[in-house]
Amino acid sequence: MKFAKRLTRLPPYLFVQIDALKEQVIKEGRDVIDMGVGDPDEPTPRFIIEAMVKALKDAGNHQYPTNKGLAVFREAIARWTRSRFGVSLDPGSEILPLIGSKEGIAHLPLAFVNPGDRVLIPDPGYPPYRTGTILAGGIPAAVPLLARNKFLPDLESLSRKRVKKAKLFFLNYPNNPTAAVADLKFFRELVRFALRNRVPICHDAAYSEIAFDRLKVPSFLQVPGAKEVGIEFHSLSKTFNMTGWRVGWVCGNREMIGALAKVKSNIDSGVFQATQMAGILALQHPGGHLTRMLRIYQSRRDLIVQALRGAGWPLEPPKATFYLWAPIPRGRTSKEVAALLLREGGIVATPGVGFGSHGEGYVRFSLSVPTPRLREAARRIQRLSIWPRPSSD
Ligand SMILES: *Cc1c(COP(=O)(O)O)cnc(C)c1O
């Protein structure tokens, strides 16, 4: 079989090696706690499921959805965006439902990238920014996210030439995998940067609602002028434990959204209408469910951070997302440490290098694991020696 070049240019799937090792450890009869994948373990809230059941029984929802999505769903998104961020959006032209935000992220470069064009992607970063670029024939240009810059891109240091040639700039805050957050001041700089360099911004806000200690993270679109230079991706996946449902949206710049809509109208036929109807209910009543989920994630975060610190890991509790981005000792690779965690502790963590070369030096732990299992993980972490232990006196 002869495959297209673009297929061979795709990097190997992030979890292949660690999956193989996991299989092996399980075959040996050992108990494995998977802190590798970021996928909420709690079920979708019942009121959303009930809305879905009702929508399923309506035959009007059984046919092809429209590409633009239901007007009532787009209006619900506009109301939510207004109340959550104080941002006004035109439901007719500034909002487009997606079959999960990953779908829109991966398809967007098809609308902007010619063969050989560059796209700025965060490194470490969520893999579809890179692979979507490659599938469109483009070249991913890594923008390093470094601890000394709080995992924000150093906009000043990006060379003019590199940026001027870029067709898109992907960013993501709260960030996967580093759990970093961006404030309005950074987003203001970003908008100025985009205007000056004429590079369209694609901000991924999939974790906008997963933030702790009462922190309300801002939307990039809160900055005046943001709509002139970019779009923002949102998702119901992480907010409402709906990863399997496949529903999200993109909002902001109408020309960019029109371009993506044109691509998508030739590839898919939109989001199942029953899912959109359930999504409306979710957006109308986010409060109670979110308060409960955030309490759960926050207590899990505190549990694991305490265990890691006790075992000598230098780590600050993250302000957002359900990830811990944990530094490993110098001289060890993230793959080695992930293998060690698995072999000696029965814990799956993701090697940082899987998110890009600047992810080396870290492993990512996900907190989307039932709390009793995390308690067991905390006990095991304390028995492992990866970092030198803090002296007890
Ligand atoms: C989980 C995640 C998404 C959401 O994906 P969906 O396709 O909406 O389920 C988007 N961006 C990042 C960085 C993620 O981690």
Side-chain angles (χ1 to χ4, degrees):
M1 208 72 80
K2 261 205 145 145
F3 297 110
K5 283 209 190 81
R6 72 174 68 85
L7 200 69
T8 60
R9 285 177 65 210
L10 291 177
Y13 175 58
L14 175 58
F15 297 104
V16 173
Q17 272 177 322
I18 224 63
D19 275 354
L21 188 55
K22 181 180 156 190
E23 287 300 304
Q24 194 186 320
V25 173
I26 291 173
K27 258 204 208 121
E28 289 164 12
R30 311 247 325 271
D31 175 55
V32 168
I33 302 172
D34 195 340
M35 299 177 74
V37 282
D39 188 350
D41 55 299
E42 291 277 313
T44 307
R46 191 162 333 143
F47 75 94
I48 301 175
I49 295 173
E50 276 159 14
M52 181 63 155
V53 170
K54 189 158 160 254
L56 269 177
K57 290 179 181 162
D58 177 354
N61 291 329
H62 296 176
Q63 292 178 291
Y64 284 122
T66 59
N67 279 106
K68 293 177 59 167
L70 288 168
V72 281
F73 183 43
R74 282 181 275 116
E75 283 154 13
I77 292 168
R79 277 195 300 277
W80 178 82
T81 309
R82 183 144 200 49
S83 80
R84 170 66 176 85
F85 300 113
V87 170
S88 301
L89 294 167
D90 170 21
S93 62
E94 294 177 333
I95 296 171
L96 180 67
L98 300 170
I99 311 171
S101 55
K102 182 181 186 180
E103 177 264 301
I105 289 165
H107 281 144
L108 186 73
L110 290 175
F112 285 86
V113 172
N114 290 314
D117 282 349
R118 273 165 209 281
V119 172
L120 300 172
I121 60 155
D123 181 347
Y126 182 54
Y129 313 135
R130 177 184 294 274
T131 53
T133 299
I134 292 172
L135 288 173
I139 300 171
V143 176
L145 306 185
L146 306 176
R148 66 161 187 270
N149 298 326
K150 299 197 161 87
F151 301 108
L152 296 169
D154 181 357
L155 298 177
E156 293 293 313
S157 82
L158 280 177
S159 102
R160 235 171 202 214
K161 257 213 319 255
R162 224 162 71 120
V163 178
K164 275 259 157 64
K165 280 200 285 186
K167 291 297 165 80
L168 295 168
F169 187 178
F170 280 103
L171 297 103
N172 162 223
Y173 294 96
N175 184 262
N176 173 13
T178 69
V181 295
D183 58 12
L184 265 181
K185 179 170 166 282
F186 172 77
F187 285 143
R188 267 186 230 115
E189 280 167 31
L190 183 65
V191 169
R192 272 201 300 274
F193 175 87
L195 281 171
R196 206 164 50 231
N197 296 290
R198 297 179 183 283
V199 56
I201 302 297
C202 315
H203 182 242
D204 178 357
Y207 297 92
S208 68
E209 305 316 293
I210 313 294
F212 306 120
D213 308 311
R214 304 224 170 124
L215 173 69
K216 284 273 182 197
V217 303
S219 160
F220 152 74
L221 296 173
Q222 280 172 242
V223 178
K227 255 198 244 176
E228 268 66 67
V229 298
I231 50 179
E232 190 162 81
F233 290 93
H234 287 266
S235 174
L236 296 184
S237 288
K238 311 292 160 58
T239 310
F240 296 102
N241 306 338
M242 288 173 73
T243 47
W245 296 53
R246 311 314 302 132
V247 57
W249 68 90
V250 61
C251 54
N253 186 274
R254 67 181 68 200
E255 279 179 280
M256 292 176 73
I257 286 171
L260 178 59
K262 189 169 174 185
V263 169
K264 277 170 56 60
S265 69
N266 288 286
I267 294 178
D268 64 67
S269 299
V271 179
F272 183 25
Q273 281 189 6
T275 308
Q276 297 183 58
M277 294 306 291
I280 294 172
L281 257 285
L283 291 172
Q284 280 170 348
H285 307 283
H289 155 74
L290 260 175
T291 309
R292 185 178 151 268
M293 279 318 299
L294 292 177
R295 208 179 297 132
I296 292 173
Y297 288 138
Q298 189 163 332
S299 74
R300 291 177 183 176
R301 174 197 70 170
D302 296 342
L303 177 74
I304 298 295
V305 166
Q306 200 188 2
L308 286 168
R309 278 183 166 174
W313 295 65
L315 192 77
E316 288 302 313
K319 294 197 181 88
T321 77
F322 42 64
Y323 302 114
L324 299 179
W325 187 238
I328 60 173
R330 248 172 223 288
R332 289 217 163 146
T333 70
S334 56
K335 280 186 182 165
E336 280 166 17
V337 171
L340 202 140
L341 281 164
L342 188 47
R343 222 176 283 121
E344 291 180 17
I347 292 170
V348 178
T350 311
V353 73
F355 299 99
S357 60
H358 288 92
E360 189 49 272
Y362 295 84
V363 292
R364 190 193 74 176
F365 293 96
S366 169
L367 302 171
S368 58
V369 176
T371 306
R373 297 289 285 156
L374 276 190
R375 275 202 205 97
E376 172 59 20
R379 278 192 286 274
R380 295 184 192 177
I381 284 167
Q382 278 162 331
R383 286 201 297 264
L384 292 174
S385 15
I386 287 169
W387 281 93
R389 260 154 214 289
S391 53
S392 49
D393 44 52

